[in-house]
Amino acid sequence: MRRPLTQLSTIIFYEDRNFQGRHYECSSNCTDLQAYFSRCNSIRVESGCWVLYEKPSYMGYQYILTRGEYPEYQRWMGFNDNIRSCRPRSDIYKMKIYERPDFGGQVMEFMDDCPSVYDRFRYRDIHSCNVMDGYWTMYEQPNYRGRQYFMRPGEYRRFSDWGASSSTVGSFRCIRDF
């Protein structure tokens, strides 16, 4: 069951710099913003945290914006004035880890930080993972130490899919602030 966002996230896109020109206010996922504006040169994030994408359907360069004003696209480190899809970052975190590749073997679901994978899962090696909600950081050692791996929502069929050279995972935690 999905929990509702604690507050409605709101973002306003403007075609011109300094919050001028045609604008569009958004408070939910939008796979294609092109119908609402042709370019985006400034943004106001009224509330929440947003992930913006250069292309429709959540593709292309990504930008993570928190509450504030961005009077020109260089302020959010944009490469150009193209923003074509967006979604609010949720406060929901859910991930399943598996002892074998391709989602095989023992499985355990997590919705919060885990300082010691072995203490909770009884395995040191994690061969696959499914991040259903939220963004996570995995660490090679317990207590959030060692090499780190950024995990965004998606399926990771083997540890090399998240960039690791070994299946050893000692701890992981939710990324709550960008």
Side-chain angles (χ1 to χ4, degrees), residues 1-9 88-93:
M1 184 172 97
R2 287 176 106 64
R3 293 178 301 183
L5 294 173
T6 53
Q7 80 179 49
L8 189 62
S9 297
R89 196 193 102 216
S90 108
D91 289 333
I92 301 168
Y93 300 90

Side-chain angles (χ1 to χ4, degrees), residues 62-82:
Q62 299 176 25
Y63 308 103
I64 299 170
L65 276 62
T66 57
R67 186 171 183 208
E69 295 188 342
Y70 304 85
E72 57 189 35
Y73 69 82
Q74 292 91 350
R75 293 286 178 98
W76 68 79
M77 300 304 176
F79 289 107
N80 53 48
D81 62 1
N82 288 332

Side-chain angles (χ1 to χ4, degrees), residues 80-143:
N80 53 48
D81 62 1
N82 288 332
I83 299 294
R84 295 291 181 249
S85 54
C86 68
R87 60 175 143 207
R89 196 193 102 216
S90 108
D91 289 333
I92 301 168
Y93 300 90
K94 189 192 243 182
M95 175 171 65
K96 288 183 180 178
I97 60 174
Y98 300 81
E99 88 172 294
R100 302 249 182 262
D102 294 315
F103 316 114
Q106 296 294 313
V107 62
M108 189 168 196
E109 184 175 292
F110 290 86
M111 297 178 77
D112 58 356
D113 298 351
C114 179
S116 175
V117 171
Y118 184 77
D119 289 349
R120 298 231 349 238
F121 190 54
R122 294 292 174 222
Y123 293 94
R124 292 192 200 307
D125 294 319
I126 306 303
H127 286 269
S128 54
C129 172
N130 184 1
V131 177
M132 282 108 51
D133 288 300
Y135 294 85
W136 300 74
T137 304
M138 281 193 177
Y139 299 83
E140 275 188 330
Q141 299 175 19
N143 299 311

Side-chain angles (χ1 to χ4, degrees), residues 1-87:
M1 184 172 97
R2 287 176 106 64
R3 293 178 301 183
L5 294 173
T6 53
Q7 80 179 49
L8 189 62
S9 297
T10 305
I11 188 169
I12 306 170
F13 300 96
Y14 296 85
E15 282 193 334
D16 298 325
R17 292 178 182 193
N18 298 313
F19 318 107
Q20 300 296 310
R22 201 163 94 173
H23 65 278
Y24 175 70
E25 185 171 323
C26 185
S27 59
S28 64
N29 294 354
C30 188
T31 60
D32 193 351
L33 292 163
Q34 194 158 358
Y36 305 109
F37 51 85
S38 60
R39 64 187 181 277
C40 182
N41 278 295
S42 54
I43 294 175
R44 270 196 182 103
V45 177
E46 300 276 320
S47 57
C49 180
W50 288 81
V51 183
L52 312 179
Y53 300 83
E54 175 196 31
K55 297 180 180 178
S57 301
Y58 316 115
M59 304 291 285
Y61 293 120
Q62 299 176 25
Y63 308 103
I64 299 170
L65 276 62
T66 57
R67 186 171 183 208
E69 295 188 342
Y70 304 85
E72 57 189 35
Y73 69 82
Q74 292 91 350
R75 293 286 178 98
W76 68 79
M77 300 304 176
F79 289 107
N80 53 48
D81 62 1
N82 288 332
I83 299 294
R84 295 291 181 249
S85 54
C86 68
R87 60 175 143 207

